[in-house]
Amino acid sequence: MAKEYSGSPRHHRLEAKKNRLTWILGVSVLCTLFYVLGAWQRTYTPTTTQFNAYSRVGCDSNVTASNNGNAAAVHPVSTRLDFASHHQVVLHGSKAVTQFSPCDMSFSEYTPCQDKARGRKFDRNMLKYRERHCPTKKELLLCLIPAPPQYKTPFKWPKSRDYAWYSNIPHRELSIEKAIQNWIQVEGDLFRFPGGGTMFPRGADAYIDDISELIPLADGTIRTAVDTGCGVASFGAYLFNRNILTMSFAPRDTHEAQVQFALERGVPAMIGIMGSQRLPYPSRAFDLAHCSRCLIPWQKYDGLYLAELNRILRPGGYWVLSGPPIHWKKFWRGWERTQEDLKQEQDAIEDVAKRLCWKKVIEKNNLLVWQKPINHIECTESKVLKTLNICKSDDPDTAWYRNLEACVTPLPEVSSSDDVAGGAVEKWPERAYSVPPRISSGSTPGVTTEKFKEDNKIWKERVAHYKRIISPLSTGRYRNIMDMNAHLGGFAAAMLNYPVWVMNVVPADSDHNTLGVIYERGFIGTYQDWCEAFSTYPRTYDLIHGSGLFTIYQDRCDITYILLEIDRILRPEGTVIFRDTVELLVKIKSITDGMRWKSQIMDHESGPFNPEKILVAVKTYWTGEATPKQT
């Protein structure tokens, strides 16, 4: 007998379908809730305590590192990051990690783009042989630059300003050659820096006091300075006391390791020279330029070098020159030059300064001060500039491998003779967070006032996170810091409360040139193509930071060489922080695992669901082996 149904069969099918949909929806909601709850419980939030051991990870447990002369054991990290639970990137454990061997000890102070042997192949005219000449791809080293056998952790700031370990930079040449001028002295196993200089034997502080009587050094008007031919950078070292941040540069020449000494002291510096190419800085960058017997022929080549100084000086900025030929009538006997020769040189310099429309402020003792005009209205009306052509370049900020021009860099137009060309900046320290004129005027594409303020907020949060995951920033462990992709300088601004300085690097081929913005904020930096080596000595930075850097360069050059360059300039036990996509960071970690780094990939400070991750690494302590000559 057939089974009877009450009602329509269609109705029953619809009811069954609704029940199934309700059941599926309910299960889906429960699954989602449990997944979110599980992910929240598993979110990794490292504490300072957890990371203390990691922040001094070293080699093996039997390796010791010297810290200020005292041996301190370096233990391997025991903390492991719960990484696999959040990400589906497969780490191929079967693939062997490439282990990079140490280079020969002869490369201990290797500066790839200022190699002396390579430089000798180039023209000596305008010192072209001392400019950047980088190795070809075939010449690149696939090894790790070794530290000297007795390398020790540098002294913390401010002691480092006055002392350094002899074993870290074993060069006595300057202590002998410049003995009378008090540049540097050897005391046992230490170098001592008395603060002297060729033109300030009484010390840099007294010399700066003399300058401060002539121009305002104490009221925040002057924040960024450039010291050309800096020696061991005592001028910049003592300007820190006055909240003035100085970019010091000198060539790699017969005065061994000038820049290396400066950076070992914790003072900003880089290898550089005024030769045939522009300095790697934007226009209108520095409030003060300084030359103390820097041996630059300012009057030659139709005033080419003063024209370059004019390009990088801010409107209203000062140039301070001391030493020959200034005040030659009084000092000529000690300079071993004739009065006629010195007079001709000073007259020629003053003639170039007039053609640049600079105002001679004062000549007192061995100091002469000029000031750049705040705009070109009066100069144009008086036809002064017609004696030196206005540059035809449409971008005065372009400065990477760009030839010098003996012309006046045009200033932005103004409506009144009282207006500062390009816009006035606030006094320091308000300048750090005030909206830079290059942004408020709309001349920086893609960056608005709102984006600038948001960027500052983001970096304050990020640096607060860094403070939790690496050794305390306030202890002085980190002094020399580099931001490899600085953008608007937000990272440097967020580091202001710590005893550090930041070299802000803007990639030379970035879509947006923001280095001028960084200088307007009162910070310093340089252009750089990271497919090439940086102009510094090995072991000169304590912490290196890079946000989104490898996304930029992954298709431009082999990132292995970028990582080897970072290893070259990073001190033993120095720290690296990279922010990028998880895929790139996994690739980076697979390379750096063979470079004697200890690293972890960590979640973004906002949590595990952010696609950007953070790689934190420490370069382990190791040194090269002494050669028979060294022993």
Side-chain angles (χ1 to χ4, degrees):
M1 185 175 179
K3 188 174 180 179
E4 294 184 1
Y5 292 91
S6 61
S8 169
R10 179 182 177 86
H11 172 76
H12 283 283
R13 286 196 296 270
L14 289 173
E15 286 295 322
K17 188 174 183 179
K18 287 180 180 178
N19 290 338
R20 285 197 301 272
L21 288 173
T22 302
W23 183 82
I24 291 170
L25 181 61
V27 170
S28 299
V29 170
L30 286 173
C31 288
T32 302
L33 286 173
F34 281 117
Y35 175 82
V36 172
L37 180 61
W40 175 76
Q41 289 176 331
R42 285 176 175 268
T43 298
Y44 178 77
T45 306
T47 62
T48 303
T49 304
Q50 286 174 308
F51 207 78
N52 278 343
Y54 165 71
S55 65
R56 273 190 59 85
V57 297
C59 307
D60 303 322
S61 58
N62 61 344
V63 177
T64 60
S66 176
N67 189 355
N68 293 346
N70 299 321
V74 181
H75 301 287
V77 62
S78 58
T79 306
R80 295 188 64 189
L81 176 67
D82 178 15
F83 180 64
S85 61
H86 303 311
H87 312 287
Q88 301 303 314
V89 177
V90 178
L91 300 176
H92 299 287
S94 60
K95 186 177 179 180
V97 173
T98 301
Q99 298 294 329
F100 295 91
S101 302
C103 304
D104 186 83
M105 273 302 299
S106 61
F107 289 97
S108 180
E109 294 181 358
Y110 183 49
T111 55
C113 295
Q114 285 86 15
D115 182 64
K116 291 182 179 179
R118 184 179 300 106
R120 283 193 286 269
K121 301 175 183 178
F122 293 87
D123 191 354
R124 300 182 71 86
N125 180 45
M126 296 183 70
L127 302 179
K128 292 178 181 178
Y129 72 106
R130 287 184 180 170
E131 294 178 331
R132 284 177 60 90
H133 302 292
C134 298
T136 63
K137 188 174 181 180
K138 293 180 179 179
E139 296 174 296
L140 295 175
L141 300 179
L142 272 172
C143 54
L144 306 176
I145 302 298
Q150 303 300 319
Y151 182 86
K152 299 177 182 179
T153 302
F155 294 104
K156 295 179 180 179
W157 183 265
K159 186 176 182 180
S160 66
R161 186 191 70 178
D162 303 323
Y163 293 96
W165 294 109
Y166 173 80
S167 57
N168 289 10
I169 316 176
H171 293 288
R172 295 178 180 268
E173 292 87 345
L174 282 175
S175 65
I176 299 169
E177 186 176 345
K178 301 293 183 180
I180 300 176
Q181 299 166 10
N182 272 336
W183 280 28
I184 184 173
Q185 297 174 357
V186 179
E187 297 181 355
D189 60 351
L190 297 175
F191 284 117
R192 186 171 74 86
F193 301 92
T198 305
M199 296 309 302
F200 39 93
R202 294 183 296 126
D205 247 350
Y207 176 75
I208 293 169
D209 284 339
D210 292 341
I211 296 175
S212 67
E213 294 178 2
L214 310 178
I215 59 176
L217 292 183
D219 66 353
T221 301
I222 295 173
R223 166 61 182 176
T224 56
V226 60
D227 190 14
T228 57
C230 64
V232 294
S234 288
F235 180 72
Y238 282 85
L239 278 176
F240 270 117
N241 295 341
R242 316 194 187 217
N243 284 321
I244 295 175
L245 190 58
T246 307
M247 174 70 81
S248 300
F249 69 83
R252 177 163 188 169
D253 61 3
T254 53
H255 295 167
E256 284 287 353
Q258 296 177 86
V259 166
Q260 192 174 15
F261 277 120
L263 287 157
E264 191 74 8
R265 300 174 70 183
V267 180
M270 59 188 295
I271 301 173
I273 191 167
M274 296 200 78
S276 66
Q277 297 177 341
R278 284 182 174 180
L279 297 171
Y281 316 122
S283 64
R284 312 194 314 274
F286 297 99
D287 307 311
L288 171 68
H290 173 257
C291 164
S292 173
R293 202 167 188 171
C294 59
L295 304 180
I296 296 173
W298 299 109
Q299 77 285 5
K300 291 186 177 181
Y301 310 113
D302 198 23
L304 191 66
Y305 297 139
L306 274 180
E308 173 63 359
L309 212 58
N310 178 69
R311 182 185 72 86
I312 63 174
L313 262 183
R314 278 195 57 74
Y318 297 93
W319 183 44
V320 177
L321 176 62
S322 68
I326 305 307
H327 217 132
W328 56 268
K329 291 180 181 180
K330 180 178 180 180
F331 299 110
W332 70 275
R333 288 182 178 85
W335 290 338
E336 299 180 354
R337 291 172 61 184
T338 66
Q339 294 184 67
E340 293 76 13
D341 181 36
L342 290 164
K343 181 181 184 302
Q344 287 179 3
E345 182 178 344
Q346 181 161 346
D347 288 347
I349 291 174
E350 295 202 32
D351 179 62
V352 176
K354 286 180 182 177
R355 287 188 281 144
L356 292 170
C357 204
W358 288 5
K359 175 185 176 183
K360 184 176 179 180
V361 178
I362 192 170
E363 182 176 3
K364 184 178 180 181
N365 295 326
N366 65 345
L367 293 168
L368 182 51
V369 180
W370 282 273
Q371 186 175 21
K372 179 178 176 176
I374 61 173
N375 58 60
H376 278 162
I377 286 183
E378 292 185 6
C379 304
T380 304
E381 291 176 350
S382 65
K383 300 182 180 181
V384 172
L385 292 182
K386 289 188 177 180
T387 59
L388 192 65
N389 294 330
I390 297 289
C391 298
K392 302 301 188 293
S393 170
D394 57 353
D395 186 3
D397 287 350
T398 303
W400 188 248
Y401 292 125
R402 177 70 177 268
N403 289 335
L404 291 175
E405 298 176 83
C407 54
V408 177
T409 301
L411 289 174
E413 294 184 2
V414 295
S415 56
S416 167
S417 60
D418 296 326
D419 293 340
V420 178
V425 295
E426 297 287 342
K427 290 186 177 182
W428 186 263
E430 291 77 16
R431 181 171 168 178
Y433 281 101
S434 298
V435 180
R438 275 174 163 94
I439 292 178
S440 59
S441 66
S443 59
T444 304
V447 183
T448 62
T449 296
E450 292 70 26
K451 287 184 178 180
F452 171 76
K453 292 179 178 179
E454 180 63 23
D455 186 74
N456 288 331
K457 181 181 177 182
I458 288 171
W459 281 108
K460 283 183 179 179
E461 294 171 354
R462 289 177 174 179
V463 169
H465 183 60
Y466 295 162
K467 186 179 178 181
R468 293 191 292 268
I469 63 175
I470 63 175
S471 290
L473 293 169
S474 58
T475 62
R477 177 186 172 189
Y478 305 108
R479 173 63 182 171
N480 303 351
I481 297 180
M482 176 183 287
D483 191 357
M484 298 177 70
N485 186 23
H487 190 42
L488 301 177
F491 171 71
M495 298 291 286
L496 277 175
N497 293 330
Y498 305 107
V500 305
W501 64 270
V502 179
M503 179 69 79
N504 294 280
V505 179
V506 171
D509 46 5
S510 292
D511 293 334
H512 300 299
N513 184 350
T514 54
L515 193 54
V517 169
I518 289 169
Y519 273 94
E520 287 184 340
R521 300 187 68 175
F523 306 121
I524 59 173
T526 183
Y527 296 114
Q528 171 67 25
D529 180 352
W530 286 113
C531 291
E532 300 179 1
F534 192 76
S535 292
T536 191
Y537 285 83
R539 303 172 299 281
T540 45
Y541 285 87
D542 307 303
L543 190 154
I544 296 178
H545 179 268
S547 178
L549 180 78
F550 293 95
T551 293
I552 296 173
Y553 281 96
Q554 62 177 329
D555 297 323
R556 298 184 184 180
C557 50
D558 189 340
I559 65 171
T560 299
Y561 292 107
I562 299 178
L563 292 168
L564 286 170
E565 172 63 5
I566 294 170
D567 183 83
R568 182 184 74 88
I569 66 179
L570 186 66
R571 296 193 194 280
E573 296 189 299
T575 300
V576 171
I577 302 175
F578 294 143
R579 309 177 69 94
D580 226 305
T581 64
V582 64
E583 291 82 6
L584 272 173
L585 293 185
V586 168
K587 181 179 179 181
I588 290 166
K589 189 178 187 305
S590 70
I591 298 169
T592 60
D593 282 348
M595 292 169 50
R596 308 193 189 194
W597 290 13
K598 300 296 183 183
S599 60
Q600 288 181 314
I601 298 177
M602 314 174 97
D603 283 323
H604 190 275
E605 58 271 2
S606 65
F609 301 110
N610 194 309
E612 182 180 77
K613 304 300 170 187
I614 304 170
L615 183 146
V616 182
V618 172
K619 177 180 174 179
T620 58
Y621 177 89
W622 64 276
T623 69
E625 296 182 1
T627 62
K629 182 179 179 180
Q630 289 172 315
T631 55

